[in-house]
Amino acid sequence: MKKLIIGNFKMNTTPSEFKSYAMTLATKVKGAKNTVVVCPPFTHLSVAREILGGSKVFYGAQNISAEENGAFTGEISAKMIKDLGATYVILGHSERRGQFKENDKLVNKKIKTALANGLKVILCVGESLQTRESKQAQNFVRKQLDDDLKGIYENELESVVIAYEPIWAIGTGKTATNSDITKMAEIIRKEIELQFSPKAAQNITIVYGGSIGLKNYKKILSNAAINGALIGGTSLDVDAFTLIARENY
Ligand code: PEP
């Protein structure tokens, strides 16, 4: 089964380091069946265009402003990353929600801005450990989906990937079990069905993220309930990331 393999660099590497990474990645994934995406920091996107433009590897950003342009010092717009050839943008990552206080209203606005500018959105949802322990994970994720996708048209869902990323699994070495992942993927599809249609639920792309590494990627990515993976720490190692990207699942 063809999968979507996404790398999230977070705030790691320099543009020069990324150049050699991208050269290796483009060469090594040439024959891969999977769709491969890397999301480095904004400062690396012109390097991505130079090295990955015309290759099999797509690239994207880790955030954008909800605004189109104007007096927003330090912000980066959807149009700017689109101009550099970005296809994707990660929105609603738990590090942005937690550290930068991005709420669902803002995430919803950013999604609309991204879609209006022809970008594909990787929307991250997922519960904290406390929410999980209080058995509220499913309700929490459902509400995130309702709020984040409010006002989005069904045909726009073709450009939306849902990344289920339980916060307790991000960068912690703890992964959700396949049974947890399958259950939450079912909940996500059910919610998409309620909000949109059975067809939308069937077609929506769902990926899992949270401490995927060389020891667990095969097991997780073989899970037919998900369409791929969002990989943080491990994506920084080009050999590990290409191994995961080249595998047949
Ligand atoms: C992430 O950054 O979205 C992520 C899943 O990180 P890690 O793979 O390091 O847990």
Side-chain angles (χ1 to χ4, degrees):
M1 194 177 171
K2 185 179 166 181
K3 299 269 174 166
L4 174 62
I5 311 293
I6 308 160
N8 173 17
F9 276 46
K10 313 191 187 204
M11 196 175 73
N12 291 300
T13 75
T14 62
S16 321
E17 286 162 352
F18 179 67
K19 188 166 183 170
S20 58
Y21 179 109
M23 284 161 79
T24 307
L25 180 65
T27 310
K28 286 197 173 181
V29 300
K30 251 182 198 151
K33 285 203 189 88
N34 301 309
T35 303
V36 184
V37 182
V38 277
C39 297
F42 290 122
T43 45
H44 303 24
L45 292 178
S46 55
V47 176
R49 179 170 63 175
E50 180 195 335
I51 308 297
L52 301 176
S55 84
K56 218 188 152 285
V57 181
F58 295 95
Y59 56 93
Q62 300 166 22
N63 183 30
I64 48 162
S65 169
E67 306 298 333
E68 290 287 348
N69 53 48
F72 302 102
T73 303
E75 289 288 272
I76 304 283
S77 75
K79 206 170 268 143
M80 292 171 190
I81 69 160
K82 182 77 183 161
D83 188 66
L84 288 174
T87 304
Y88 289 85
V89 61
I90 298 174
L91 293 175
H93 193 281
S94 63
E95 286 154 18
R96 299 229 44 102
R97 292 180 191 263
Q99 297 165 30
F100 302 97
K101 307 290 168 241
E102 293 195 5
N103 60 23
D104 289 311
K105 199 169 169 210
L106 181 63
V107 173
N108 176 253
K109 194 169 177 198
K110 288 188 176 195
I111 293 174
K112 288 176 177 162
T113 304
L115 294 173
N117 283 279
L119 291 165
K120 289 183 192 290
V121 171
I122 300 157
L123 167 63
C124 301
V125 295
E127 79 286 358
S128 66
L129 188 59
Q130 196 189 9
T131 303
R132 175 180 164 85
E133 283 172 350
S134 59
K135 307 254 179 286
Q136 289 302 310
Q138 297 185 357
N139 286 339
F140 183 83
V141 169
R142 270 194 211 111
K143 180 154 174 19
Q144 278 188 321
L145 288 171
D146 285 355
D147 292 347
D148 297 348
L149 297 176
K150 200 167 277 167
I152 304 295
Y153 296 105
E154 182 168 334
N155 66 342
E156 293 178 312
L157 284 186
E158 277 172 23
S159 301
V160 177
V161 172
I162 309 290
Y164 171 51
E165 296 214 300
I167 299 169
W168 50 268
I170 299 179
T172 58
K174 292 181 197 143
T175 46
T177 63
N178 258 333
S179 142
D180 287 331
I181 295 170
T182 303
K183 250 184 246 155
M184 195 55 91
E186 280 167 7
I187 294 295
I188 291 170
R189 283 192 205 280
K190 193 81 214 153
E191 200 53 35
I192 296 291
E193 182 175 337
L194 286 172
Q195 278 188 54
F196 298 93
S197 72
K199 190 167 165 243
Q202 203 186 334
N203 292 341
I204 192 82
T205 303
I206 302 174
V207 302
Y208 166 79
S211 295
I212 293 180
L214 290 181
K215 289 202 177 117
N216 57 21
Y217 77 96
K218 274 192 196 165
K219 202 170 165 197
I220 293 170
L221 277 154
S222 303
N223 184 342
I226 51 162
N227 308 99
L230 177 50
I231 304 171
T234 303
S235 72
L236 295 171
D237 175 344
V238 74
D239 293 330
F241 189 61
T242 50
L243 194 71
I244 298 171
R246 285 164 58 116
E247 188 81 38
N248 287 328
Y249 299 101

